[in-house]
Amino acid sequence: MKKLSFIKRSNGGHWVGDGFPVQSIFSYSDIADKISPFLLMDHAGPTTFPPTQKKLGVGQHPHRGFETVTIVYQGGVSHRDSSGGGGTIGPGDVQWMTAASGLIHEEFHSETFARQGGPFEMIQLWVNLPAKEKMSTPGYQGITVDQIPHIVLANNAGIARVIAGSIGDATGPADTFTPMNVWDLRLKAGCTLSLELPSGHTTALYVLSGALNVDNQTIEATEMAVMERDGTELKAEITQDAVVLLLSGEPFNEPIVGHGPFVMNTRAEIMQAMQDYNNGKFGQIVSESSRP
Ligand code: MN
């Protein structure tokens, strides 16, 4: 049985660009060793945007050394990157972007969502790459809602959408560099959640809405239960209908040196990343109109 290790609460709110009012749930500067292979997670919204003709979000910026995973719950987001990846994702869709050796991307509200306005909620998770993969080729996986298997949970506790990893025979569509599970759980009040997860792996339950009881501790919206790595069974009492993101993964204990959008293993690699970016080695976003 996995025991509760500690409850991680938000580091506070801020805006990412002019499109994403986020709670910073964790980052590699606070619980890096306890949450490996995950580096950082921001929860945007839930909030409501009025209709606008403006392009809200974050303009071109680089990343190197990890992956960004964007899960849309409400609203819509459009991305483009210098590796040629990009697309528009809506509720239930996921973008799994591998920055690896480096790319430049932009993240905006989708045009359709911006014009209509309405409720908006999104998670952005940063997944670390092991040292030997940090300079791999960048990639982009646009995962649509219909590609993500739905599983009915034990005790009829609700459903799991398997984004990465597997539950029984159901395997999530995301290709990952190291073993991990990323599951979108929709849980029913009054039921008991019971999950089997690998011993030795980092395991955490992040509550987007509703509430759970883990080891007699209440975990509410914007709180994350980080479990001990020992044991395989994870149990929680669902006290209010809940939307929960389960993160589990094989930890790797490599040094982390981060600077803004770059997360590497050494200070020298960060200096190199800045130099490469300044020398234009991260490529360029090819605009729609100039595409052949
Ligand atoms: Mn970004």
Side-chain angles (χ1 to χ4, degrees):
M1 186 88 133
K2 287 185 187 286
K3 291 203 177 76
L4 179 66
S5 175
F6 63 98
I7 299 171
K8 180 69 181 78
R9 296 189 172 85
S10 169
N11 294 330
H14 64 274
W15 279 78
V16 176
D18 58 6
F20 308 109
V22 305
Q23 290 291 319
S24 159
I25 307 305
F26 65 84
S27 108
Y28 56 86
S29 56
D30 51 29
I31 54 167
D33 54 329
K34 299 186 176 70
I35 204 73
S36 172
F38 307 103
L39 284 172
L40 175 151
M41 191 168 80
D42 281 347
H43 181 181
T47 188
T48 301
F49 283 94
T52 181
Q53 301 293 322
K54 283 191 215 148
K55 225 176 151 182
L56 300 178
V58 206
Q60 299 194 12
H61 60 279
H63 290 294
R64 173 180 278 181
F66 60 99
E67 303 185 284
T68 66
V69 178
T70 306
I71 304 169
V72 175
Y73 291 84
Q74 302 184 83
V77 186
S78 291
H79 292 252
R80 285 190 306 163
D81 71 59
S82 56
S83 79
T88 295
I89 57 172
D93 299 337
V94 175
Q95 180 216 62
W96 199 292
M97 188 190 80
T98 305
S101 65
L103 49 65
I104 291 170
H105 77 156
E106 56 179 33
E107 312 168 74
F108 289 108
H109 292 190
S110 68
E111 205 177 321
T112 312
F113 172 72
R115 283 193 180 154
Q116 289 173 355
F120 187 90
E121 187 171 22
M122 181 189 105
I123 290 272
Q124 189 168 87
L125 174 70
W126 290 12
V127 176
N128 204 4
L129 291 172
K132 65 177 169 39
E133 305 288 2
K134 280 187 180 286
M135 294 303 282
S136 293
T137 308
Y140 182 95
Q141 302 174 65
I143 300 169
T144 53
V145 62
D146 53 295
Q147 295 172 309
I148 300 173
H150 276 235
I151 300 302
V152 175
L153 293 165
N155 311 321
N156 205 22
I159 61 136
R161 296 199 319 126
V162 186
I163 297 165
S166 55
I167 301 180
D169 295 336
T171 299
D175 265 327
T176 66
F177 283 79
T178 59
M180 74 188 70
N181 289 298
V182 177
W183 302 340
D184 171 11
L185 306 177
R186 310 297 171 110
L187 306 175
K188 291 195 288 197
C191 298
T192 301
L193 176 68
S194 173
L195 301 171
E196 281 294 318
L197 291 155
S199 184
H201 284 204
T202 295
T203 305
L205 290 171
Y206 175 67
V207 178
L208 284 90
S209 64
L212 306 176
N213 229 303
V214 180
D215 280 356
N216 297 314
Q217 300 274 322
T218 301
I219 320 291
E220 295 179 311
T222 74
E223 296 180 339
M224 187 170 76
V226 180
M227 309 303 293
E228 299 284 357
R229 287 181 177 147
D230 296 347
T232 58
E233 192 183 20
L234 171 55
K235 267 195 190 280
E237 302 303 323
I238 306 154
T239 51
Q240 289 172 30
D241 284 355
V243 178
V244 170
L245 186 66
L246 172 123
L247 304 177
S248 100
E250 185 178 80
F252 43 91
N253 295 313
E254 295 174 344
I256 292 174
V257 182
H259 183 81
F262 310 126
V263 184
M264 303 300 289
N265 302 109
T266 66
R267 186 78 205 143
E269 289 168 343
I270 293 292
M271 301 304 283
Q272 186 67 51
M274 291 197 273
Q275 200 177 88
D276 289 350
Y277 174 58
N278 289 332
N279 289 334
K281 291 190 180 164
F282 282 45
Q284 281 182 355
I285 297 180
V286 178
S287 73
E288 288 299 330
S289 53
S290 64
R291 249 176 214 163

